[in-house]
C-alpha cells in the first residue's frame, strides 16, 4: 500500500532553514509527483508547490518563491522540502502528498510540525 | 489565482441529517478539476471527491459531489458520527492549486 512517512518535528529560530523529508513506499516513485501543503495552527490548508519525481520539474506558490526548494532523491524514494529565512508565521504542520498523475493530492503523509520561535 | 470561498463556515447538524457544503470559485475551474477533502483533528486530509463528482476509493456513497464552472457542492446524505470534521475544496486546474478556507461540520 502507498505510504508516505515524514521526518519528525523541528524547532527553529527566525532566519534559520528547515528541511523536511517524505519517504515514499508502495509504488513506483518516479511515476508520480509530490505536493507540499502546510497548515498553520487552527488555520486552513495552504498549497506550497509540487515537484515531479520523474524529471524534478517544480511549481512553487508565488508567495514562497525564493525561499522554498523542493527536491527528490530517486535512489531512496524520498522527497524533500527546504524552507529558508524562517519567520514566526511559517510555524505550521507541513504535509507531503502523492498526486494522481499530476492532479489532486491522493495519498498524504502524517505531517511534520515546524515551530519557528526565538 | 482562483479564490475558493466555502460556505457556511460552520454547519451544526445532528446525526442522520443531510449536509450541504458549498464551494464557489472566483473564476471557472478548468475541466471541473475540483476535489474535496475531509480532515479530522490531528490527522492529514483525506481525499473524498475528485473531478467534482467522482468518489475516491473506499469513500461511502453517502458522500456525493456536484457542480461545474464556479459552483460546486459536497453533499453528505445522512451524517454518521464519524463525518463530523472539517471539509476543504481544492481546485487543481490551474496554478496555484488553491484550497478553500474550510467548512466545519459540528454536532448540534
Amino acid at each position: 500500500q502507498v505510504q508516505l512517512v515524514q521526518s519528525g518535528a523541528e524547532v527553529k529560530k527566525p532566519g534559520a532553514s528547515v528541511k523536511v523529508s517524505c519517504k515514499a513506499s508502495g509504488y513506483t516513485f518516479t511515476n508520480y509527483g509530490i505536493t507540499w501543503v502546510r497548515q498553520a495552527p487552527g488555520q486552513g490548508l495552504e498549497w506550497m508547490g509540487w515537484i515531479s519525481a520523474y524529471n524534478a520539474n517544480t511549481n512553487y506558490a508565488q508567495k514562497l518563491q525564493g525561499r522554498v526548494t523542493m527536491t527528490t532523491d530517486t535512489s531512496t524514494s524520498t522527497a524533500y522540502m527546504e524552507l529558508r529565512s524562517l519567520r514566526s508565521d511559517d510555524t505550521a504542520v507541513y504535509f507531503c502528498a502523492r498526486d494522481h498523475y499530476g492532479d489532486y493530492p491522493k495519498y498524504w503523509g502524517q505531517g511534520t510540525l515546524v515551530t519557528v520561535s526565538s | 489565482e482562483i479564490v475558493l470561498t466555502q460556505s457556511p463556515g460552520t454547519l451544526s447538524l445532528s446525526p442522520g441529517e443531510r449536509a450541504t457544503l458549498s464551494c464557489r470559485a472566483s473564476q471557472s475551474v478548468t475541466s471541473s478539476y475540483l476535489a474535496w477533502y475531509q480532515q479530522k483533528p490531528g490527522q492529514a486530509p483525506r481525499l473524498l471527491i475528485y473531478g467534482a463528482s467522482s468518489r475516491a476509493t473506499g469513500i461511502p456513497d453517502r458522500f456525493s459531489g456536484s457542480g461545474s464552472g464556479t459552483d460546486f457542492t459536497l453533499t453528505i446524505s445522512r451524517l454518521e458520527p464519524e463525518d463530523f470534521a472539517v471539509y476543504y475544496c481544492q481546485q487543481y486546474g490551474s496554478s496555484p492549486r488553491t484550497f478553500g478556507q474550510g467548512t466545519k461540520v459540528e454536532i448540534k
Side-chain angles (χ1 to χ4, degrees), chain A residues 35 37 39 43-47 50 59-62 95 99-100 102-111, chain B residues 33 35 37 39 42-47 49-51 56-57 88 90 92 95-102:
Chain A
T35 291
V37 173
Q39 186 170 37
Q43 303 301 308
L45 303 172
E46 179 185 11
W47 183 83
W50 172 87
N59 180 12
Y60 300 142
Q62 189 169 13
F95 294 100
D99 65 29
H100 177 77
D103 292 335
Y104 49 88
K106 186 172 182 179
Y107 301 98
W108 294 68
Q110 83 277 16
Chain B
Y33 284 166
Y37 299 88
Q39 189 181 34
Q43 296 185 15
R46 173 194 180 197
L47 176 68
I49 300 287
Y50 62 93
T57 305
Y88 294 94
Q90 185 206 19
Y92 52 94
S95 184
R97 297 185 173 186
T98 45
F99 288 92
Q101 83 279 17

Side-chain angles (χ1 to χ4, degrees), chain B residues 7 11-12 14 17 24 27 30 34 41-42 44 46 54-55 61 66 74-76 81-82 85-86 90 92 96 105 108:
Chain B
S7 61
L11 202 49
S12 298
S14 300
E17 291 194 292
R24 181 160 291 176
Q27 54 191 282
T30 304
L34 193 286
R46 173 194 180 197
S54 298
R55 266 188 305 277
D61 60 7
S66 62
L74 175 70
T75 301
I76 310 171
E82 61 268 29
V86 180
Q90 185 206 19
Y92 52 94
V105 179
K108 186 174 182 180

Side-chain angles (χ1 to χ4, degrees), chain A residues 23-84:
Chain A
K23 183 169 177 58
S25 61
Y27 69 97
T28 301
F29 184 67
T30 50
N31 282 359
Y32 300 89
I34 296 287
T35 291
W36 289 89
V37 173
R38 69 179 180 178
Q39 186 170 37
Q43 303 301 308
L45 303 172
E46 179 185 11
W47 183 83
M48 299 180 66
W50 172 87
I51 181 167
S52 165
Y54 173 69
N55 58 15
N57 282 352
T58 54
N59 180 12
Y60 300 142
Q62 189 169 13
K63 69 174 287 188
L64 297 174
Q65 286 273 4
R67 288 207 300 139
V68 68
T69 302
M70 296 174 188
T71 57
T72 58
D73 181 344
T74 57
S75 68
T76 60
S77 299
T78 302
Y80 298 91
M81 186 286 300
E82 181 180 33
L83 189 60
R84 299 176 294 278

Side-chain angles (χ1 to χ4, degrees), chain B residues 28-104:
Chain B
S28 185
V29 175
T30 304
S31 303
S32 295
Y33 284 166
L34 193 286
W36 289 93
Y37 299 88
Q38 175 194 68
Q39 189 181 34
K40 297 179 180 179
Q43 296 185 15
R46 173 194 180 197
L47 176 68
L48 298 176
I49 300 287
Y50 62 93
S53 60
S54 298
R55 266 188 305 277
T57 305
I59 301 303
D61 60 7
R62 63 180 180 273
F63 290 92
S64 63
S66 62
S68 63
T70 60
D71 287 301
F72 298 88
T73 300
L74 175 70
T75 301
I76 310 171
S77 58
R78 293 173 311 279
L79 283 164
E80 297 288 340
E82 61 268 29
D83 299 337
F84 291 92
V86 180
Y87 293 83
Y88 294 94
C89 57
Q90 185 206 19
Q91 65 81 22
Y92 52 94
S94 63
S95 184
R97 297 185 173 186
T98 45
F99 288 92
Q101 83 279 17
T103 290
K104 182 179 182 180

